[in-house]
Amino acid sequence: MTAISEFRIDIPQTDLDDLRERLTRTRWGGQLPGAAWERGVPVGYLRELAEHWATTYDWRTHEAELNAHPQYVTDIDGQQLHFVHVKAAEPGALPLLLAHGWPGSIVEFLDVIGPLTDPRAHGGDPADAFDVVIPSLPGFGFSGPLSGPGWDSRRIATAFAELMHRLGYQRYGAQGGDFGAFVAPDLGRVDPQHVVGVHVNAASMGFIPFGELSEAELAELTDAERARVARMKAFLGEGNGYFQIQATRPQTLAYALLDSPVGQLAWIVEKFKEWTHGDLPEESVDRDRMLTNVMLYWLTGTAGSAANLYYESMHTRNWPTPSEVPTGVAVFAEDIAIRRYAERGHTIVHWSEFDRGGHFAAMEAPDLLVQDMRTFFRRFR
């Protein structure tokens, strides 16, 4: 089946009423006196955020914002795939697929759709216009639940290549951050005859050193690169507990996240705190936009199927091979990519570094990300 059907988000009011009722019945535990974020999300912060979610946040406003963009579903490889597809305001635009990661969603890209598809209306050059395709990763949001096991990065990339084929695109670019920075390069590997270029941010595996660095290697790094190595070590020492759980026992975790909205909120907001370029998430990302991202996990019940992405990534046999597709990398202030290591497995033709923005660049620094994508893809038009 290759049919593509129009899709519109229409959450039943009973689901929203159930969410609010669950929020009001949250069992709040205490925490150790004097403890802050180093032991997890502080109860005072989370209670205030949950109160805002229950009493002030308006899902219908954000549902309408999402529905302002054309959405579709199709079946590929036995899996329902949901995607946003916005045509450019200019003729002859370059198609561009945008791939999110975890704990992200299509919500990440809301602020870049307009500038990418209609640069003229946003102070840019109309020659930089893109047709934008934004799929929900299999198992995420309205691309859930998963049809079965095996949805690793390579299989996702293969499905996305088929999606672009169904849309009639013969030449297109791919962009991704976080896990999208696995999928976008893999899209170049599985469909090199059609992918003209790959752009990534929040890149990790394949763009960083593997294992401990010798003193001699460390001495060759710049101060900025040594700082990235230090962030990697801190992550591996204190920040990757979520990774280990999702990569080994995603089903066990799913019961708690599917039953408790505050549990789901804490699981995601912790990463916004740790990975954004600010002391608190709200300093970098609009609070209601962050909650809308959480809502896509809660309302679709896909915390568990999304977590399976980590299990697949740690149990796959499809390890990356060197890619000859031209690749551009944007390194934001909280990113860890280092060019000399990225060049070992990718054909790097563009490299940018920024002193602001973090892991969720499309939300934190959409202006910088859009401009970097425009610059990189200009050579392929």
Side-chain angles (χ1 to χ4, degrees), residues 13-23 25 261 298:
Q13 186 59 41
T14 52
D15 289 1
L16 303 180
D17 294 341
D18 174 72
L19 169 61
R20 291 192 177 91
E21 197 265 338
R22 286 171 182 264
L23 287 169
R25 289 193 299 107
W298 175 258

Side-chain angles (χ1 to χ4, degrees), residues 215-238:
E215 290 298 323
E217 280 186 284
L218 282 170
E220 293 177 354
L221 301 180
T222 66
D223 289 343
E225 289 170 341
R226 277 191 286 272
R228 291 170 204 161
V229 171
R231 282 199 294 277
M232 282 188 279
K233 293 186 69 172
F235 170 79
L236 293 173
E238 293 283 343

Side-chain angles (χ1 to χ4, degrees), residues 48-103:
E48 193 278 327
L49 183 58
E51 175 71 14
H52 173 79
W53 193 11
T55 63
T56 305
Y57 173 84
D58 181 10
W59 163 255
R60 295 301 185 197
T61 296
H62 301 283
E63 182 182 66
E65 183 181 12
L66 287 164
N67 281 331
H69 303 295
Q71 297 170 65
Y72 305 87
V73 290
T74 190
D75 185 280
I76 297 177
D77 193 11
Q79 175 68 43
Q80 174 168 289
L81 197 63
H82 163 260
F83 62 98
V84 174
H85 185 201
V86 184
K87 293 288 190 72
E90 310 291 339
L94 179 68
L96 177 63
L97 183 142
L98 302 175
H100 66 79
W102 184 93

